[in-house]
Amino acid sequence: MRIEVENLTAAGEPFEHTYRAEEVELEEEGARLVADAAVRGSASKKGETVRLRGEIRTEVELLCDRCAAPERRPLAVEFDTSFIPQEAEAVKTENVELQAEDLLLSAYEGGAVDLDELAREQILLGLPSRHLCREDCKGLCQKCGANLNAGACSCEQGEVDPRWAALADLKKQVNGE
Ligand SMILES: [Zn+2]
Ligand SMILES: [Zn+2]
């Protein structure tokens, strides 16, 4: 959805839009939307600067960083983002050597703010940087890929073949350990 800048006032206009889960492509490994994303807020304009404030509510499926078990959880993100026209951003960047990101500003093009892109970015920002299915997740066995939360796999019983043990010792000697 695009929010036309022309119609905005300093007082702010309410906006509301619901994205279907498949419309919001996060392009993030280990996270995807599993429910609609409802975006609502208010858009105001001061000079050429547009400010969008509001909230996004959805539900995400996250994969555990260690064992890849999926988990659904609700996600609510509040945003307060200001946009300046693309042209103005270019000028500023040249003259003052400031990037829009440094000013916490985004840019809009063609007289409208792209709500789709804002929603996607804000959801990404709202994701936890690290996610474990549980604090003490044991992860997967490096050898056989078994989920160690379900119990030890046979690799873990750990009886090293005596011939390999001898070889390991020899290697240590060679390396002077
Ligand atoms: Zn896990
Ligand atoms: Zn194993």
Side-chain angles (χ1 to χ4, degrees):
M1 185 174 116
R2 288 165 65 81
I3 296 176
E4 297 298 329
V5 171
E6 203 185 352
N7 308 329
L8 300 178
T9 63
E13 298 288 323
F15 63 86
E16 200 169 341
H17 188 75
T18 300
Y19 293 96
R20 293 192 315 277
E22 61 271 22
E23 280 182 289
V24 185
E25 186 56 65
L26 295 181
E27 292 165 25
E28 175 83 3
E29 232 175 281
R32 65 185 182 100
L33 292 200
V34 287
D36 289 351
V39 186
R40 59 190 305 169
S42 123
S44 59
K45 182 171 70 171
K46 208 174 183 184
E48 286 200 300
T49 303
V50 175
R51 185 175 179 188
L52 260 54
R53 274 178 290 181
E55 192 187 39
I56 305 170
R57 288 183 170 276
T58 183
E59 214 175 297
V60 289
E61 184 188 77
L62 301 169
L63 301 185
C64 172
D65 284 346
R66 288 191 196 143
C67 74
E71 188 189 14
R72 288 171 75 123
R73 64 155 74 165
L75 185 77
V77 190
E78 282 182 18
F79 59 87
D80 182 348
T81 310
S82 292
F83 297 81
I84 55 173
Q86 182 87 62
E87 308 82 56
E89 186 201 33
V91 171
K92 221 171 220 142
T93 306
E94 274 176 29
N95 294 350
V96 198
E97 292 184 9
L98 280 177
Q99 296 290 340
E101 296 94 88
D102 296 333
L103 301 164
L104 291 173
L105 290 173
S106 297
Y108 66 88
E109 256 180 298
V113 173
D114 185 356
L115 190 66
D116 306 359
E117 190 51 32
L118 175 74
R120 185 179 164 275
E121 276 175 16
Q122 293 297 322
I123 291 169
L124 279 172
L125 287 173
L127 294 174
S129 55
R130 187 172 159 73
H131 171 70
L132 296 178
C133 61
R134 57 188 221 207
E135 199 69 20
D136 63 343
C137 172
K138 295 186 175 72
L140 305 177
C141 171
Q142 304 263 333
K143 275 189 192 164
C144 72
N147 189 333
L148 299 176
N149 296 316
C153 61
S154 48
C155 323
E156 274 239 317
Q157 287 167 8
E159 272 170 47
V160 180
D161 184 312
R163 283 169 298 176
W164 290 116
L167 195 65
D169 282 340
L170 192 68
K171 216 172 161 189
K172 274 186 192 162
Q173 284 172 27
V174 171
N175 294 333
E177 289 175 46

